[in-house]
Amino acid sequence: MHNPYVSVVIPIFNEEENILILWERLSRVLHENFPNPDRGWEVVFTDDGSRDGSLEMLRAIAEEEPRVSVVEFNRNYGQHSAIFGAFSIVAGEVIVTLDADLQNPPEEIPKLVAKIDEGFDVVGGWRQGRMHNDSLFRTLPSKIVNAVTRKTTGVALNDYGCMLRAYRREIVDAMLQCKERSSFIPALANSFAKRITEVPVAHSERAAGESKYGIWKLINLQFDLLTGFSLLPLQMLSVLGVVIALLGFLLFIGLVVYRFLHPEGTAQGVFTLFAILFFFVGAQFVAFGLLGEYIGRIYQEVRDRPRFVVKRIHKQL
Ligand code: UDP
Ligand code: MG
């Protein structure tokens, strides 16, 4: 059998309502656009510890279609780990990632692959008409994520959150060499890519089931980005410290001068000190929190646990 040209990677966590229709649309697109075995395709699903019938459905597909593989995780490790799990076995030259909930139409895949053929290393999807389809609760955090990512990575993309993306083989190989635990794939990919572009892609409502991202997972993702790709928070901390120290010193001078001018007014001074004290205590807690975030991550990296455990790979021989 030839090596595939396009590898499609799909993380799956409790998506039983979507899998059949997803596979139907995806396989039609792949058969139509990549019929030539010299430029063939494969699909790698990762079952990220689903508790519904997803795994059985995926295995049934893999039993029928030799170009489909299923990476089974022993429990839920999160979307980005699931994508990494699939990355570790893909064979194609172009790797396309896709969400399973049909928010990313499989019909857009040829468009992304064409861009890679033009010579780009990374092609991101830029979701059009998103505001109509997703709730504010979901789009507002994404907007913040985008803005911060743009700042910290220095690559100005419009849509970092879209997981409909295509990567050249070398980029995926480089990402696989990263040993860190918490990684945000689009930002990580950009740090290895030379030519990056975006193409507008359609975006629809989640076909069935619920979003697997709660507010905590989103906050966690934001911290991954902030600490994973820049030392900005630490640097801000020092700047903040200097500013606060200066202010404190100036206030101290001011209070001394005041004391000389009005030797009888003491009570006011006590309240001023209280205000300053609270200010410092607050600032310290912010500082501790941020330092703790870094230390926690260092701790995790030092333990060097495997990012995930693959139980089995289901594939026809
Ligand atoms: N997903 C996963 N593991 C998780 C959470 C999500 O593999 O812990 C998969 C999920 O099945 C879907 C994709 O990641 O294919 C995106 O998830 P979702 O649609 O819930 O995210 P949203 O569109 O709300 O950002
Ligand atoms: Mg979704």
Side-chain angles (χ1 to χ4, degrees):
M1 212 170 93
H2 293 273
N3 259 356
Y5 182 66
V6 177
S7 298
V8 179
V9 163
I10 308 183
I12 302 277
F13 180 51
N14 297 341
E15 301 281 5
E16 61 182 0
E17 298 109 316
N18 296 317
I19 288 173
L20 285 184
I21 177 106
L22 168 74
W23 172 238
E24 199 185 298
R25 282 172 61 182
L26 180 65
S27 58
R28 185 178 323 125
V29 169
L30 294 173
H31 277 112
E32 274 170 15
N33 289 278
F34 307 99
N36 184 349
D38 286 334
R39 224 181 115 86
W41 55 270
E42 69 167 347
V43 177
V44 181
F45 291 104
T46 301
D47 176 64
D48 186 16
S50 298
R51 284 179 277 268
D52 62 359
S54 298
L55 178 63
E56 285 65 42
M57 296 170 83
L58 296 174
R59 291 183 59 180
I61 295 171
E63 250 151 52
E64 213 170 86
E65 172 57 67
R67 285 169 284 193
V68 171
S69 321
V70 180
V71 178
E72 179 190 342
F73 279 4
N74 66 339
R75 52 153 261 235
N76 178 254
Y77 289 94
Q79 179 184 7
H80 291 259
S81 292
I83 292 173
F84 265 107
F87 277 173
S88 62
I89 66 159
V90 291
E93 284 303 310
V94 182
I95 292 98
V96 179
T97 59
L98 189 74
D99 280 355
D101 55 0
L102 295 165
Q103 285 190 293
N104 307 142
E107 290 74 20
E108 305 278 12
I109 292 174
K111 219 161 67 178
L112 299 185
V113 176
K115 275 281 171 202
I116 296 274
D117 289 339
E118 268 178 41
F120 289 97
D121 296 322
V122 172
V123 183
W126 177 12
R127 293 167 287 185
Q128 306 292 306
R130 180 142 188 250
M131 295 306 141
H132 309 296
N133 292 328
D134 280 358
S135 65
L136 186 69
F137 177 68
R138 190 65 187 81
T139 51
L140 193 69
S142 311
K143 275 199 171 162
I144 300 171
V145 172
N146 264 332
V148 173
T149 314
R150 232 171 289 171
K151 269 255 148 33
T152 52
T153 61
V155 182
L157 289 188
N158 293 297
D159 193 350
Y160 266 98
C162 181
M163 290 314 287
L164 178 53
R165 302 179 143 259
Y167 307 100
R168 194 177 287 284
R169 168 101 238 159
E170 301 92 84
I171 305 293
V172 169
D173 285 341
M175 284 196 273
L176 283 172
Q177 281 173 33
C178 297
K179 297 286 176 245
E180 73 222 55
R181 205 119 296 105
S182 33
S183 41
F184 186 74
I185 289 172
L188 193 61
N190 288 353
S191 68
F192 295 115
K194 191 166 156 193
R195 298 187 65 199
I196 305 168
T197 190
E198 274 182 313
V199 290
V201 295
H203 178 70
S204 18
E205 260 172 87
R206 183 171 241 287
E210 288 184 337
S211 172
K212 311 294 184 278
Y213 275 93
I215 189 77
W216 285 115
K217 269 193 179 175
L218 280 176
I219 291 173
N220 218 0
L221 203 64
Q222 186 59 78
F223 266 118
D224 283 352
L225 267 174
L226 208 62
T227 55
F229 294 94
S230 85
L231 290 178
L232 199 71
L234 272 182
Q235 289 152 354
M236 290 303 291
L237 212 63
S238 336
V239 172
L240 195 76
V242 170
V243 169
I244 291 177
L246 260 175
L247 282 179
F249 183 68
L250 287 178
L251 258 168
F252 172 73
I253 301 278
L255 282 175
V256 169
V257 171
Y258 182 85
R259 196 57 193 269
F260 273 116
L261 296 181
H262 306 272
E264 67 287 351
T266 47
Q268 239 174 334
V270 173
F271 284 112
T272 318
L273 277 176
F274 261 118
I276 298 168
L277 186 72
F278 281 131
F279 184 58
F280 271 94
V281 169
Q284 271 178 345
F285 269 94
V286 172
F288 286 149
L290 273 166
L291 283 175
E293 188 70 30
Y294 279 97
I295 292 169
R297 271 145 213 273
I298 292 168
Y299 181 45
Q300 275 185 340
E301 301 297 340
V302 163
R303 282 186 295 194
D304 205 25
R305 288 179 179 162
R307 201 203 304 263
F308 49 76
V309 179
V310 174
K311 210 151 91 182
R312 240 179 97 186
I313 291 166
H314 306 277
K315 185 171 167 58
Q316 273 185 22
L317 290 175

PDB file of all heavy atoms in Angstrom, residues 65-81:
ATOM      1  N   GLU A  65     -12.929  -0.079   6.770  1.00  0.00           N
ATOM      2  CA  GLU A  65     -12.096   0.754   5.894  1.00  0.00           C
ATOM      3  C   GLU A  65     -10.641   0.705   6.368  1.00  0.00           C
ATOM      4  O   GLU A  65     -10.313   1.207   7.436  1.00  0.00           O
ATOM      5  CB  GLU A  65     -12.631   2.199   5.924  1.00  0.00           C
ATOM      6  CG  GLU A  65     -11.785   3.231   5.235  1.00  0.00           C
ATOM      7  CD  GLU A  65     -11.505   2.931   3.781  1.00  0.00           C
ATOM      8  OE1 GLU A  65     -12.449   2.963   2.975  1.00  0.00           O
ATOM      9  OE2 GLU A  65     -10.331   2.663   3.445  1.00  0.00           O
ATOM     10  N   PRO A  66      -9.765   0.087   5.557  1.00  0.00           N
ATOM     11  CA  PRO A  66      -8.369  -0.077   5.987  1.00  0.00           C
ATOM     12  C   PRO A  66      -7.612   1.238   6.148  1.00  0.00           C
ATOM     13  O   PRO A  66      -6.565   1.267   6.792  1.00  0.00           O
ATOM     14  CB  PRO A  66      -7.750  -0.921   4.883  1.00  0.00           C
ATOM     15  CG  PRO A  66      -8.664  -0.803   3.710  1.00  0.00           C
ATOM     16  CD  PRO A  66     -10.035  -0.542   4.249  1.00  0.00           C
ATOM     17  N   ARG A  67      -8.144   2.314   5.562  1.00  0.00           N
ATOM     18  CA  ARG A  67      -7.425   3.590   5.672  1.00  0.00           C
ATOM     19  C   ARG A  67      -7.771   4.337   6.954  1.00  0.00           C
ATOM     20  O   ARG A  67      -7.331   5.456   7.166  1.00  0.00           O
ATOM     21  CB  ARG A  67      -7.740   4.466   4.460  1.00  0.00           C
ATOM     22  CG  ARG A  67      -7.004   3.984   3.215  1.00  0.00           C
ATOM     23  CD  ARG A  67      -7.508   4.678   1.975  1.00  0.00           C
ATOM     24  NE  ARG A  67      -8.797   4.164   1.548  1.00  0.00           N
ATOM     25  CZ  ARG A  67      -9.343   4.425   0.351  1.00  0.00           C
ATOM     26  NH1 ARG A  67      -8.705   5.183  -0.503  1.00  0.00           N
ATOM     27  NH2 ARG A  67     -10.510   3.925   0.029  1.00  0.00           N
ATOM     28  N   VAL A  68      -8.567   3.717   7.809  1.00  0.00           N
ATOM     29  CA  VAL A  68      -8.949   4.358   9.065  1.00  0.00           C
ATOM     30  C   VAL A  68      -8.255   3.675  10.240  1.00  0.00           C
ATOM     31  O   VAL A  68      -8.236   2.443  10.324  1.00  0.00           O
ATOM     32  CB  VAL A  68     -10.476   4.301   9.265  1.00  0.00           C
ATOM     33  CG1 VAL A  68     -10.851   4.774  10.664  1.00  0.00           C
ATOM     34  CG2 VAL A  68     -11.173   5.154   8.213  1.00  0.00           C
ATOM     35  N   SER A  69      -7.673   4.458  11.133  1.00  0.00           N
ATOM     36  CA  SER A  69      -7.102   3.913  12.369  1.00  0.00           C
ATOM     37  C   SER A  69      -7.771   4.598  13.554  1.00  0.00           C
ATOM     38  O   SER A  69      -8.221   5.733  13.451  1.00  0.00           O
ATOM     39  CB  SER A  69      -5.602   4.197  12.469  1.00  0.00           C
ATOM     40  OG  SER A  69      -4.983   4.072  11.220  1.00  0.00           O
ATOM     41  N   VAL A  70      -7.799   3.886  14.669  1.00  0.00           N
ATOM     42  CA  VAL A  70      -8.353   4.456  15.888  1.00  0.00           C
ATOM     43  C   VAL A  70      -7.326   4.328  17.004  1.00  0.00           C
ATOM     44  O   VAL A  70      -6.860   3.232  17.297  1.00  0.00           O
ATOM     45  CB  VAL A  70      -9.651   3.746  16.314  1.00  0.00           C
ATOM     46  CG1 VAL A  70     -10.200   4.375  17.591  1.00  0.00           C
ATOM     47  CG2 VAL A  70     -10.683   3.802  15.208  1.00  0.00           C
ATOM     48  N   VAL A  71      -6.947   5.438  17.593  1.00  0.00           N
ATOM     49  CA  VAL A  71      -6.067   5.423  18.762  1.00  0.00           C
ATOM     50  C   VAL A  71      -6.973   5.475  19.980  1.00  0.00           C
ATOM     51  O   VAL A  71      -7.746   6.425  20.132  1.00  0.00           O
ATOM     52  CB  VAL A  71      -5.125   6.638  18.761  1.00  0.00           C
ATOM     53  CG1 VAL A  71      -4.257   6.634  20.012  1.00  0.00           C
ATOM     54  CG2 VAL A  71      -4.258   6.650  17.515  1.00  0.00           C
ATOM     55  N   GLU A  72      -6.895   4.465  20.818  1.00  0.00           N
ATOM     56  CA  GLU A  72      -7.768   4.427  21.994  1.00  0.00           C
ATOM     57  C   GLU A  72      -6.991   4.848  23.231  1.00  0.00           C
ATOM     58  O   GLU A  72      -6.039   4.187  23.623  1.00  0.00           O
ATOM     59  CB  GLU A  72      -8.330   3.006  22.182  1.00  0.00           C
ATOM     60  CG  GLU A  72      -9.218   2.883  23.402  1.00  0.00           C
ATOM     61  CD  GLU A  72      -9.572   1.428  23.719  1.00  0.00           C
ATOM     62  OE1 GLU A  72      -9.426   0.551  22.836  1.00  0.00           O
ATOM     63  OE2 GLU A  72      -9.972   1.180  24.867  1.00  0.00           O
ATOM     64  N   PHE A  73      -7.401   5.941  23.848  1.00  0.00           N
ATOM     65  CA  PHE A  73      -6.800   6.353  25.112  1.00  0.00           C
ATOM     66  C   PHE A  73      -7.485   5.611  26.257  1.00  0.00           C
ATOM     67  O   PHE A  73      -8.653   5.254  26.141  1.00  0.00           O
ATOM     68  CB  PHE A  73      -6.974   7.864  25.332  1.00  0.00           C
ATOM     69  CG  PHE A  73      -5.984   8.722  24.599  1.00  0.00           C
ATOM     70  CD1 PHE A  73      -5.061   8.171  23.725  1.00  0.00           C
ATOM     71  CD2 PHE A  73      -5.965  10.093  24.802  1.00  0.00           C
ATOM     72  CE1 PHE A  73      -4.147   8.966  23.050  1.00  0.00           C
ATOM     73  CE2 PHE A  73      -5.051  10.905  24.137  1.00  0.00           C
ATOM     74  CZ  PHE A  73      -4.154  10.344  23.256  1.00  0.00           C
ATOM     75  N   ASN A  74      -6.771   5.431  27.356  1.00  0.00           N
ATOM     76  CA  ASN A  74      -7.366   4.706  28.473  1.00  0.00           C
ATOM     77  C   ASN A  74      -8.274   5.583  29.324  1.00  0.00           C
ATOM     78  O   ASN A  74      -9.031   5.098  30.137  1.00  0.00           O
ATOM     79  CB  ASN A  74      -6.276   4.058  29.330  1.00  0.00           C
ATOM     80  CG  ASN A  74      -5.405   5.078  30.016  1.00  0.00           C
ATOM     81  OD1 ASN A  74      -5.332   6.225  29.591  1.00  0.00           O
ATOM     82  ND2 ASN A  74      -4.755   4.690  31.087  1.00  0.00           N
ATOM     83  N   ARG A  75      -8.191   6.909  29.135  1.00  0.00           N
ATOM     84  CA  ARG A  75      -9.155   7.809  29.772  1.00  0.00           C
ATOM     85  C   ARG A  75      -9.125   9.147  29.050  1.00  0.00           C
ATOM     86  O   ARG A  75      -8.453   9.276  28.025  1.00  0.00           O
ATOM     87  CB  ARG A  75      -8.882   7.995  31.264  1.00  0.00           C
ATOM     88  CG  ARG A  75      -7.474   8.388  31.630  1.00  0.00           C
ATOM     89  CD  ARG A  75      -7.447   9.159  32.935  1.00  0.00           C
ATOM     90  NE  ARG A  75      -7.360  10.570  32.617  1.00  0.00           N
ATOM     91  CZ  ARG A  75      -6.408  11.375  33.090  1.00  0.00           C
ATOM     92  NH1 ARG A  75      -5.498  10.925  33.919  1.00  0.00           N
ATOM     93  NH2 ARG A  75      -6.381  12.646  32.738  1.00  0.00           N
ATOM     94  N   ASN A  76      -9.829  10.125  29.563  1.00  0.00           N
ATOM     95  CA  ASN A  76      -9.911  11.425  28.911  1.00  0.00           C
ATOM     96  C   ASN A  76      -8.707  12.289  29.247  1.00  0.00           C
ATOM     97  O   ASN A  76      -8.417  12.546  30.412  1.00  0.00           O
ATOM     98  CB  ASN A  76     -11.215  12.114  29.339  1.00  0.00           C
ATOM     99  CG  ASN A  76     -11.348  13.482  28.735  1.00  0.00           C
ATOM    100  OD1 ASN A  76     -11.188  14.481  29.415  1.00  0.00           O
ATOM    101  ND2 ASN A  76     -11.619  13.552  27.463  1.00  0.00           N
ATOM    102  N   TYR A  77      -7.976  12.719  28.199  1.00  0.00           N
ATOM    103  CA  TYR A  77      -6.805  13.568  28.420  1.00  0.00           C
ATOM    104  C   TYR A  77      -6.970  14.955  27.820  1.00  0.00           C
ATOM    105  O   TYR A  77      -6.066  15.772  27.902  1.00  0.00           O
ATOM    106  CB  TYR A  77      -5.559  12.926  27.820  1.00  0.00           C
ATOM    107  CG  TYR A  77      -5.082  11.704  28.561  1.00  0.00           C
ATOM    108  CD1 TYR A  77      -5.472  10.435  28.174  1.00  0.00           C
ATOM    109  CD2 TYR A  77      -4.233  11.823  29.654  1.00  0.00           C
ATOM    110  CE1 TYR A  77      -5.036   9.308  28.844  1.00  0.00           C
ATOM    111  CE2 TYR A  77      -3.789  10.705  30.336  1.00  0.00           C
ATOM    112  CZ  TYR A  77      -4.199   9.449  29.926  1.00  0.00           C
ATOM    113  OH  TYR A  77      -3.761   8.366  30.596  1.00  0.00           O
ATOM    114  N   GLY A  78      -8.078  15.213  27.159  1.00  0.00           N
ATOM    115  CA  GLY A  78      -8.275  16.536  26.560  1.00  0.00           C
ATOM    116  C   GLY A  78      -7.969  16.561  25.075  1.00  0.00           C
ATOM    117  O   GLY A  78      -7.199  15.755  24.572  1.00  0.00           O
ATOM    118  N   GLN A  79      -8.599  17.529  24.426  1.00  0.00           N
ATOM    119  CA  GLN A  79      -8.557  17.609  22.966  1.00  0.00           C
ATOM    120  C   GLN A  79      -7.139  17.662  22.399  1.00  0.00           C
ATOM    121  O   GLN A  79      -6.815  16.954  21.446  1.00  0.00           O
ATOM    122  CB  GLN A  79      -9.340  18.856  22.531  1.00  0.00           C
ATOM    123  CG  GLN A  79      -9.359  19.076  21.045  1.00  0.00           C
ATOM    124  CD  GLN A  79     -10.062  20.373  20.688  1.00  0.00           C
ATOM    125  OE1 GLN A  79     -10.425  21.174  21.560  1.00  0.00           O
ATOM    126  NE2 GLN A  79     -10.244  20.605  19.413  1.00  0.00           N
ATOM    127  N   HIS A  80      -6.288  18.489  22.995  1.00  0.00           N
ATOM    128  CA  HIS A  80      -4.960  18.675  22.412  1.00  0.00           C
ATOM    129  C   HIS A  80      -4.097  17.431  22.572  1.00  0.00           C
ATOM    130  O   HIS A  80      -3.350  17.068  21.664  1.00  0.00           O
ATOM    131  CB  HIS A  80      -4.288  19.923  22.985  1.00  0.00           C
ATOM    132  CG  HIS A  80      -4.959  21.189  22.524  1.00  0.00           C
ATOM    133  ND1 HIS A  80      -4.470  21.981  21.528  1.00  0.00           N
ATOM    134  CD2 HIS A  80      -6.135  21.753  22.905  1.00  0.00           C
ATOM    135  CE1 HIS A  80      -5.306  22.999  21.310  1.00  0.00           C
ATOM    136  NE2 HIS A  80      -6.315  22.885  22.147  1.00  0.00           N
ATOM    137  N   SER A  81      -4.227  16.757  23.712  1.00  0.00           N
ATOM    138  CA  SER A  81      -3.509  15.495  23.878  1.00  0.00           C
ATOM    139  C   SER A  81      -4.027  14.456  22.897  1.00  0.00           C
ATOM    140  O   SER A  81      -3.256  13.652  22.356  1.00  0.00           O
ATOM    141  CB  SER A  81      -3.664  14.974  25.308  1.00  0.00           C
ATOM    142  OG  SER A  81      -2.979  15.817  26.197  1.00  0.00           O
TER     143      SER A  81
END
